[in-house]
């Protein structure tokens, strides 16, 4: 038997991993942290897990009592599953953790550098969380949400990932950007539960995060690559060539 095909496949996989680590080391470390946190929370008792996640949840009561711990801590875990592949939660995990963090956050780090990628992700996470809290407060005032929503479990990376997914529209060929934008705005609405004129607060948060991300596309600094002092004819030509050929500069 000839082992070369499997050896070649393994070699390509190792080169891909090394290339990923070289281009996006911070994202790779964050993914490892999320996976470790997910494994840990799944390994402790149900009461301990509920206590930890309840404290880190970015609901209204926690944002009032310990806002910094809630905002930062809620981004250290992802709300989803890696094992129940037949569930809608797994689809959400693929979109937020798989596409949003593993792919598009790595692309942002490679394109703009660590600081700007972190600013986009954490900025989207924090801003969408605070804006959603304002919507919840208004919904409570007008009776659109039940009072229990103040203590609802709300944690995970999905708001930051949603912002990165929206900004990542730049990574796609021009002809694919409009369908991608429709997907980014549409997937959270698919499972929405409506409370009067408003959907559930997590759907509100995802839509706000997407709007924030799309808004960043109008900022000139986010349309340039790292180290680019301004528009480049060569860079524009390369982007047009990618758009014409269907290539994508993801990671």
């Amino acid at each position: 038997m000839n082992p070369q095909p499997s050896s070649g496949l393994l070699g390509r996989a190792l080169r891909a991993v090394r290339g990923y680590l070289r281009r996006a080391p911070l994202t790779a470390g964050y993914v490892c942290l999320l996976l470790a946190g997910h494994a840990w929370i799944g390994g402790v008792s149900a009461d301990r897990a509920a206590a930890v996640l309840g404290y880190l949840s970015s609901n209204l009561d926690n944002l009032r009592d310990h806002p910094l711990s809630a905002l930062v801590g809620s981004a250290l875990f992802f709300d989803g599953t890696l094992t129940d592949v037949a569930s809608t939660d797994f689809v959400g995990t693929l979109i937020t953790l798989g596409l949003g963090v593993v792919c598009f956050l790595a692309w942002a780090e490679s394109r703009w550098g660590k600081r700007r990628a972190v600013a986009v992700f954490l900025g989207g996470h924090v801003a969408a969380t605070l804006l959603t809290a304002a919507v919840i407060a208004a919904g409570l005032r007008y009776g659109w949400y039940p009072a229990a929503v103040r203590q609802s479990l709300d944690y995970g990376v999905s708001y930051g990932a949603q912002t990165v997914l929206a900004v990542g529209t730049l990574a796609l060929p021009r002809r694919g950007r409009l369908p991608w934008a429709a997907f980014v705005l549409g997937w959270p609405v698919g499972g929405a539960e409506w409370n009067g004129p408003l959907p559930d607060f997590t759907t509100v948060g995802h839509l706000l995060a997407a709007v924030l991300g799309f808004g960043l596309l109008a900022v000139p600094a986010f349309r340039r690559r790292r180290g680019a002092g301004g528009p480049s004819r060569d860079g524009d030509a390369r982007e047009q060539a990618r758009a014409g050929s269907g290539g994508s500069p993801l990671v």
Side-chain angles (χ1 to χ4, degrees):
M1 297 180 65
N2 188 353
Q4 289 183 348
S6 59
S7 298
L9 181 61
L10 178 60
R12 288 195 294 272
L14 290 174
R15 286 193 295 273
V17 171
R18 286 196 297 266
Y20 186 93
L21 293 173
R22 184 177 64 254
R23 289 188 293 270
L26 188 64
T27 299
Y30 183 48
V31 171
C32 291
L33 179 64
L34 291 173
L35 293 176
H38 187 73
W40 180 81
I41 210 72
V44 300
S45 67
D47 290 342
R48 180 75 182 280
V52 171
L53 295 178
Y55 180 79
L56 297 178
S57 176
S58 55
N59 55 42
L60 283 186
D61 285 353
N62 285 352
L63 288 175
R64 180 195 62 199
D65 295 337
H66 48 274
L68 186 60
S69 298
L71 287 170
V72 175
S74 61
L76 299 179
F77 298 91
F78 65 89
D79 182 16
T81 178
L82 294 173
T83 55
D84 189 5
V85 297
S87 67
T88 55
D89 286 344
F90 183 73
V91 175
T93 300
L94 288 180
I95 294 173
T96 58
L97 180 63
L99 287 176
V101 178
V102 175
C103 292
F104 280 92
L105 182 58
W107 167 83
E109 182 181 351
S110 175
R111 180 182 178 95
W112 296 312
K114 297 179 180 65
R115 286 184 296 180
R116 198 172 295 179
V118 169
V120 171
F121 182 86
L122 282 184
H125 170 74
V126 171
T129 298
L130 296 179
L131 289 171
T132 301
V135 172
I136 292 173
L140 286 170
R141 172 185 250 179
Y142 292 104
W144 297 332
Y145 289 127
V149 77
R150 298 187 62 90
Q151 299 174 332
S152 294
L153 198 61
D154 184 22
Y155 69 94
V157 301
S158 58
Y159 292 171
Q162 184 79 345
T163 303
V164 176
L165 285 172
V167 173
T169 303
L170 287 175
L172 302 176
R174 292 187 184 278
R175 62 175 176 270
R177 292 177 180 178
L178 185 59
W180 177 255
F183 166 75
V184 171
L185 289 170
W187 83 266
V189 181
E193 298 178 3
W194 290 84
N195 302 277
L198 294 177
D200 59 276
F201 70 89
T202 56
T203 299
V204 171
H206 284 93
L207 293 176
L208 289 172
V211 170
L212 289 169
F214 289 128
L216 288 176
L217 297 179
V219 179
F222 287 100
R223 303 190 66 87
R224 296 194 297 267
R225 291 184 176 276
R226 174 174 47 183
S232 166
R233 292 182 179 179
D234 292 339
D236 291 344
R238 284 193 296 270
E239 183 174 348
Q240 291 172 5
R242 280 195 300 268
S245 63
S248 172
L250 283 177
V251 301

